[in-house]
Each structure stands twice: as C-alpha cells, then as structure tokens.
Amino acid sequence: MDSIVIYGGSFDPIHNGHIRTALASSRYFDAKVIFVPAKNPRFKVLDSTPSQRLDMLKLAIKDLDPSIFMISLFEMDSYDEINYSIDTVRYFKNKFKQANLYFLIGADEANSFSKWKEAESIASIVKIVYVPRPGVKVDEENIKKYNMACLPFTKTGEVSSSGVRKLENIDIPLSVRKYIEENGLYYINELKKLESQHRLSHSISVANLSYRIAVSNKLKNPNDYYVSGLLHDLGKDLEVNNAKLIMQNNYPKYISYPFWTYHQFIGEFLAKKIFNIDNNEILEAIKFHATGNKNMTTMGKVIYSSDKIEPSRGYDSSDLINSCLSNCQDGFIKVLKANQEYLEKKGYIVDNDLTNDCYKQYLGE
C-alpha cells in the first residue's frame, strides 16, 4: 500500500526548511510527498502572487526525484474564495483510496488545530503529523484528541518564510533566490524604494559574488556575506541634506570626511533601521566597504573586494575574481593594490585616514 504525505502551505516563499522537512518525512514514512500550495490561505496576507509562489516551488524541487516529490494544483485551481484543508484531504482520499495519507502541519498549527474547519473530520480521513519547532510547546490535549503523530525531525534550520521576506535569514535554494532578484520580490522590492535600478543591479551582483567567494573559501555562514553585499550601498542614493543629517546625528566622528565616504556609514545605519540587521560582522563590513580600514574582518575584505570587482563594473576583473575565489585573503590584497594603482593613475589623492590606515597595514605603505 502506498503512503503519501500531503504538504500544504502558502510557501511565500518556499525555503530550505520546507525542503528538509519534505525529505525527512519521505524517509520516515517511506512515502511520496505532494506539495499543495494554497491559492488563498486563511489568516495570511501574501507578498507574492499565486503564480509566483508556484514558480518558486517548482524551482525548489526541480532537482528532487519527480517520482517521489510532486506538486498538486488542487487548491491553486480552485475557484473557492478560501482554501479549507477539509476539502483538500477529501480530494486526496477520493483520488488515492487505498493509500496511507499523512497530513503535515507545523507545531504552531497543531496548537490551533481545534479551530480549523471540520477538524475532527480531517483527523478521521488522514493521519495528522506535526513537525516540532524550537521554542514551541505543543498542546498535548490537541495531540491526543486528534491522534496526531510527531515527525522526529528537528534539523529544519532557523528559517521561516516571513524571515526570508524580511531578509532576517536567506536559507533558500539558489534558484529561488535568483527568482526573487529577477522578479523584485520581498526584500528586493524594499531595496527598489531606496536605490536606483543601476545601483540595485550592482548591489545584487556584489551580493552574489560575495556569496560565491564565501562558499569557494569554505567560510562560515555564506548567506551573511550575501546579505552584507546586498545592503552595502543602501546609503548611496540618499538625498544630500538627509545624508548630512544622518552623519551629524549618528557619525559625528566622520563628519569631516569627504562626502563620497558618507554612504558606507549611512548604509550601516539604514541596514539597522530598515532591515533590523543586528549582526555586527555584517554591519562592520558595510560600514567600511568603500574606504577599507585597518584590522578588517574576513567579511569586510570580501565585501570590499566584491564591490570593486563585480562583473558589471565595466572592465575585465576576471583575474581578480578568480584570485578571491581561490584565496579571499590573498585576493583582497591584490584588489586593494589594484585599486590603489587605479587611483594613482587617475591622479586621485587619498583623502581619509581609513584608507591610509588600510594601505599601511595591508600594503606596507
């Protein structure tokens, strides 16, 4: 007898926690997994269209075994104003009359299950399986009343769809991340309000190169490098008077620095204020990405390098990119030297202590 796991959700967007859960449930129940994206889920205001969420779901599972992991459009094709789970499980019970059906829900959903439409009928048709979640204590009364089972899997990762939308975490398939970038969804839509299209394209390119360098060098938390690269130029397109006001109120130490340096400090300020970034390593990398500084972190070096050499800069930076991919520490020195030589060739004079300190420490000058 076949076993089937019904995995419903808004998937706005789908993330790697969803994928890990699907893989774990398939192994545990020796079952096929059918993703059922909701067209009109209750109690949720969605930030993408049904077709966009479906596109991302297809991208996320395209490399999984299609004979085991598949998508049902039952709810997507529904004309109902709201999708109710009772209708979904009845549909699958009628379609797979002899199969063992498991209905996957989260721990928080297990606690509110008694409020679902025809909850007892759902539990009589399928086996309710909840996925434990750190920090969420399940309602034992609900577990017993609806005869729920627990999927013994706790390695979903600290990721949520709401967190992805707000750039709090970015643990998503790379294909989904690219789709978000290309379609201007979630955090990219927020960046559109702050940056010109040219600036945004540059920021996305820096983010992806920073991520590649982090992965190639086996650095911890490569997604943090992506976030830092994506937000590094937040302050670049800010109106002059607003920029000066932020500097006066938050960075008086650097108010005498040349105006071109302001955007890196303002970028740090806006990353905290708008995107609630509290990771000091990300913030420091943004704060000194244009000038450099002494005692730079590895992330700081990677963001500095990526900003200078990302492919859309308009010159052949392939050798410098390959150097950073091979060894980000050595690559940073080469990028720093190349930038110094470029400035000298153009007749620019280094006009701030941060860059002079950076050159002195890393180039011995």
Side-chain angles (χ1 to χ4, degrees):
M1 184 180 294
D2 288 338
S3 294
I4 296 173
V5 173
I6 303 168
Y7 195 178
S10 57
F11 303 114
D12 187 31
I14 187 166
H15 53 68
N16 285 329
H18 292 132
I19 301 300
R20 296 179 190 114
T21 298
L23 291 167
S25 63
S26 177
R27 288 193 298 267
Y28 188 74
F29 295 111
D30 190 21
K32 298 177 180 178
V33 177
I34 302 179
F35 292 88
V36 188
K39 183 178 182 180
N40 300 306
R42 298 179 68 193
F43 312 123
K44 287 188 176 182
V45 177
L46 302 178
D47 291 330
S48 57
T49 66
S51 62
Q52 287 171 333
R53 290 186 287 113
L54 180 58
D55 286 343
M56 289 185 282
L57 179 55
K58 290 177 179 178
L59 288 170
I61 70 169
K62 66 180 176 62
D63 293 327
L64 301 181
D65 187 339
S67 68
I68 299 176
F69 301 93
M70 56 202 77
I71 299 171
S72 168
L73 299 181
F74 172 72
E75 293 188 10
M76 281 283 183
D77 290 342
S78 170
Y79 290 104
D80 294 337
E81 185 176 344
I82 297 175
N83 301 132
Y84 290 102
S85 295
I86 182 60
D87 299 324
T88 301
V89 299
R90 282 174 175 157
Y91 165 78
F92 281 103
K93 184 62 178 178
N94 183 61
K95 184 174 183 178
F96 302 104
K97 293 182 173 62
Q98 303 303 316
N100 293 317
L101 298 180
Y102 301 92
F103 190 72
L104 206 59
I105 63 175
D108 48 352
E109 293 171 314
N111 289 339
S112 63
F113 190 76
S114 59
K115 299 177 182 178
W116 289 28
K117 182 180 179 181
E118 297 187 49
E120 291 186 0
S121 295
I122 296 174
S124 70
I125 297 171
V126 294
K127 180 71 171 179
I128 309 296
V129 180
Y130 72 90
V131 183
R133 183 177 175 181
V136 177
K137 184 178 180 181
V138 294
D139 185 336
E140 294 296 339
E141 185 175 332
N142 264 11
I143 302 303
K144 183 176 181 181
K145 179 178 180 180
Y146 299 105
N147 192 31
M148 296 183 185
C150 174
L151 178 68
F153 181 70
T154 58
K155 297 181 179 180
T156 57
E158 295 183 6
V159 59
S160 66
S161 292
S162 61
V164 172
R165 294 194 298 271
K166 294 183 287 188
L167 204 63
E168 292 175 355
N169 48 61
I170 203 73
D171 188 11
I172 54 178
L174 295 184
S175 56
V176 173
R177 192 175 78 189
K178 183 178 180 181
Y179 186 92
I180 291 171
E181 294 169 355
E182 292 178 344
N183 290 272
L185 300 178
Y186 314 131
Y187 49 85
I188 297 297
N189 188 47
E190 290 301 309
L191 282 170
K192 282 184 176 180
K193 302 172 185 177
L194 300 163
E195 298 182 2
S196 66
Q197 184 56 54
H198 174 76
R199 183 71 51 204
L200 179 57
S201 296
H202 165 70
S203 296
I204 291 172
S205 184
V206 172
N208 283 300
L209 179 56
S210 298
Y211 178 85
R212 285 177 59 201
I213 292 172
V215 171
S216 181
N217 283 266
K218 296 181 173 56
L219 303 177
K220 292 182 179 179
N221 304 317
N223 287 327
D224 289 348
Y225 287 73
Y226 177 86
V227 172
S228 187
L230 189 65
L231 302 183
H232 81 285
D233 263 356
L234 270 180
K236 197 71 178 262
D237 293 331
L238 201 64
E239 193 270 332
V240 172
N241 289 333
N242 288 338
K244 290 181 177 179
L245 185 61
I246 290 175
M247 291 298 295
Q248 289 170 359
N249 292 336
N250 299 275
Y251 301 96
K253 177 180 178 181
Y254 301 109
I255 196 68
S256 63
Y257 275 51
F259 184 78
W260 70 267
T261 68
Y262 282 12
H263 77 280
Q264 62 182 8
F265 307 113
I266 296 170
E268 181 201 37
F269 174 81
L270 294 177
K272 289 187 286 187
K273 182 178 181 179
I274 297 176
F275 290 95
N276 298 310
I277 303 297
D278 59 6
N279 182 313
N280 288 329
E281 192 174 12
I282 290 176
L283 294 171
E284 184 174 334
I286 295 172
K287 186 177 181 179
F288 299 112
H289 78 268
T291 59
N293 195 13
K294 60 184 177 182
N295 303 323
M296 294 178 71
T297 64
T298 297
M299 185 180 294
K301 294 175 182 178
V302 170
I303 302 305
Y304 177 95
S305 298
S306 298
D307 179 42
K308 302 295 188 291
I309 64 175
E310 59 90 1
S312 73
R313 277 293 194 180
Y315 71 99
D316 184 5
S317 58
S318 56
D319 287 344
L320 291 171
I321 289 174
N322 288 331
S323 292
C324 290
L325 290 172
S326 177
N327 185 310
C328 64
Q329 302 290 346
D330 293 343
F332 164 71
I333 300 299
K334 292 179 181 179
V335 172
L336 188 65
K337 184 64 177 177
N339 190 60
Q340 182 194 46
E341 292 174 351
Y342 170 80
L343 294 177
E344 289 177 350
K345 183 178 180 181
K346 291 292 185 179
Y348 296 138
I349 298 173
V350 175
D351 50 8
N352 69 90
D353 292 338
L354 293 172
T355 302
N356 280 322
D357 287 344
C358 186
Y359 286 168
K360 183 177 180 180
Q361 178 172 346
Y362 296 109
L363 301 181
E365 301 178 9

